[in-house]
Amino acid sequence: MGKKRPKKVRKAQAIAAARFFRQQLKLADENGIDARWVIKQVAVLKVFSSSQDPDFIHEEGFTLSLGNGKYEVYVNRDLPEGRDNWTYGHETAHIVLKHHEEFDVDNLLPYEHWILNREANIFTSEYLMPEDKFRKAVRLPLTVNELARLKNIFKVSWQAVINRLDELHIYPKANIEQLFCERRIATKEVEMAIATVAVAEEKGQVNTMQKDVLRINLDENMRFTICPRCGNTDFSEGASYCKMCGLYLYNDCIECHAHNVADARYCEYCGNETTLFKAGILKPCDDATLYIMLEELLSREVVTEFDQEGNLLAIRIKTEEDDLQIKEEDLPF
């Protein structure tokens, strides 16, 4: 084993080594690399569990040199998906960069260990997320969904994608943190809106037909295309009343008789009550915000979440993150 001590990070050498290593293994055209499979080609892979062995609770992985170019690599099996692939790549980097052969790794100072780990990280970034392929894969404007897509393509963690975007000057890390903050705020607003609707429905403040009113379209004569009271849609030409329940099919002003839109509680022309509001089918304007929430919910798919006992935990609007299997607890910020 050599007795050299690292003096500076060899960035160019680490990048060149990663590109050459990809070519050697004929991975030049690959995006998402299975680094676990690769490391088995250069070392004996063993796993440990930080949850079961407190001595390794802070370890993600490490490499032992057996001499004569042979290695044992230990990786924490409790690592989350993406982070584990990065760790396999990181330990591969130590081997390919010959850190154990060139340096006395067991007797280095903390800063010298940092230098070697930094070289390994630079290697791993280029190894798992080659600059040319990564730049081509990024779609702007950047969103949380786009980050998740990149994470899945290159089989790495959120943090690895964020760091790569930052180091390649594609998108600064501070702005990415803001994206996650905005996402959480938006998600919380939606959850609050749905909770408000759920409470209102529980109290009987919103009935099924009230939801239907929000969906009602008017024809060219300002007549309902669906009866707000019974849901009937079969009207004869020229009919003014529903043949099923007798409701007047126009939301007219009770004073000036002007036709109004379906959700009008008061006439837009004279300010008096409309027929739907007078009949109690439309609720007071104090609930206008609630109706807007309902209208949003009616136009989008809702996701319900339950605990193991079947108790309702959350009701929220489905987003693209659900298809990408994004979990809030896994997000980096």
Side-chain angles (χ1 to χ4, degrees):
M1 181 180 290
K3 299 297 182 180
K4 292 170 55 179
R5 308 187 82 89
K7 299 184 181 302
K8 65 178 182 179
V9 176
R10 300 168 297 180
K11 180 178 179 179
Q13 182 175 325
I15 293 174
R19 292 173 178 173
F20 182 69
F21 186 61
R22 286 175 60 93
Q23 290 176 351
Q24 276 188 315
L25 293 177
K26 299 181 179 179
L27 298 172
D29 296 328
E30 299 291 329
N31 280 332
I33 292 175
D34 182 355
R36 185 176 188 273
W37 176 85
V38 173
I39 203 169
K40 290 181 178 180
Q41 315 307 309
V42 296
V44 175
L45 177 62
K46 298 186 177 182
V47 296
F48 63 91
S49 174
S50 60
S51 61
Q52 296 178 8
D53 191 339
D55 291 337
F56 295 101
I57 193 168
H58 298 300
E59 293 284 356
E60 294 190 357
F62 56 89
T63 298
L64 297 179
S65 174
L66 304 179
N68 300 319
K70 296 181 179 180
Y71 301 89
E72 284 183 349
V73 173
Y74 293 78
V75 174
N76 188 345
R77 69 181 182 190
D78 299 328
L79 292 174
E81 184 180 1
R83 186 68 191 179
D84 58 350
N85 207 43
W86 177 273
T87 303
Y88 292 127
H90 182 90
E91 298 308 321
T92 300
H94 285 307
I95 295 173
V96 175
L97 294 173
K98 301 184 182 302
H99 285 165
H100 290 269
E101 296 177 22
E102 291 188 28
F103 305 102
D104 186 5
V105 296
D106 294 327
N107 296 294
L108 297 181
L109 299 173
Y111 177 71
E112 293 170 331
H113 275 294
W114 178 88
I115 290 176
L116 297 187
N117 281 320
R118 179 64 188 136
E119 284 187 3
N121 283 336
I122 292 171
F123 175 100
T124 309
S125 287
E126 185 63 27
Y127 169 44
L128 298 181
M129 297 174 285
E131 180 176 353
D132 57 341
K133 291 185 176 298
F134 190 82
R135 288 186 181 278
K136 290 178 181 178
V138 176
R139 299 173 183 171
L140 298 177
L142 195 67
T143 63
V144 173
N145 289 349
E146 174 61 12
L147 290 171
R149 190 183 68 85
L150 293 171
K151 174 181 178 293
N152 291 344
I153 288 175
F154 294 100
K155 297 181 180 180
V156 293
S157 65
W158 292 97
Q159 200 63 56
V161 170
I162 292 167
N163 289 341
R164 193 61 164 155
L165 287 164
D166 185 71
E167 68 191 14
L168 293 178
H169 305 293
I170 298 174
Y171 209 90
K173 189 180 297 185
N175 290 1
I176 295 175
E177 292 179 8
Q178 184 61 30
L179 284 178
F180 282 93
C181 290
E182 291 172 356
R183 178 187 183 277
R184 281 205 163 91
I185 292 171
T187 300
K188 184 59 65 177
E189 289 176 348
V190 169
E191 289 174 348
M192 290 175 64
I194 296 174
T196 303
V197 172
V199 170
E201 289 181 321
E202 183 70 23
K203 292 181 178 179
Q205 296 174 353
V206 181
N207 55 38
T208 302
M209 198 49 61
Q210 180 63 51
K211 296 179 185 178
D212 289 337
V213 172
L214 295 171
R215 287 175 163 174
I216 291 173
N217 291 321
L218 303 177
D219 63 19
E220 65 275 9
N221 297 316
M222 297 290 284
R223 188 180 73 172
F224 302 137
T225 59
I226 179 175
C227 176
R229 179 185 286 160
C230 72
N232 175 39
T233 58
D234 184 17
F235 307 128
S236 300
E237 185 178 352
S240 297
Y241 295 86
C242 176
K243 67 182 181 181
M244 303 303 294
C245 70
L247 183 74
Y248 186 55
L249 296 176
Y250 296 86
N251 192 24
D252 285 357
C253 172
I254 62 173
E255 190 65 32
C256 73
H257 307 295
H259 293 330
N260 281 265
V261 292
D263 64 347
R265 292 146 183 80
Y266 296 91
C267 179
E268 294 184 292
Y269 307 99
C270 72
N272 284 290
E273 293 181 351
T274 61
T275 53
L276 286 186
F277 186 49
K278 185 73 174 178
I281 294 175
L282 288 177
K283 302 300 178 182
C285 60
D286 291 344
D287 294 330
T289 302
L290 176 60
Y291 298 143
I292 293 172
M293 296 175 190
L294 272 174
E295 190 167 22
E296 174 69 10
L297 292 179
L298 288 167
S299 65
R300 299 174 65 178
E301 187 175 351
V302 174
V303 173
T304 54
E305 298 177 356
F306 300 87
D307 61 19
Q308 293 181 344
E309 285 72 38
N311 299 313
L312 183 64
L313 295 176
I315 309 173
R316 57 183 175 77
I317 290 176
K318 183 177 181 181
T319 63
E320 292 182 26
E321 286 93 328
D322 291 300
D323 295 326
L324 291 168
Q325 298 181 334
I326 301 177
K327 298 178 181 179
E328 285 293 325
E329 61 267 23
D330 293 335
L331 297 180
F333 304 111

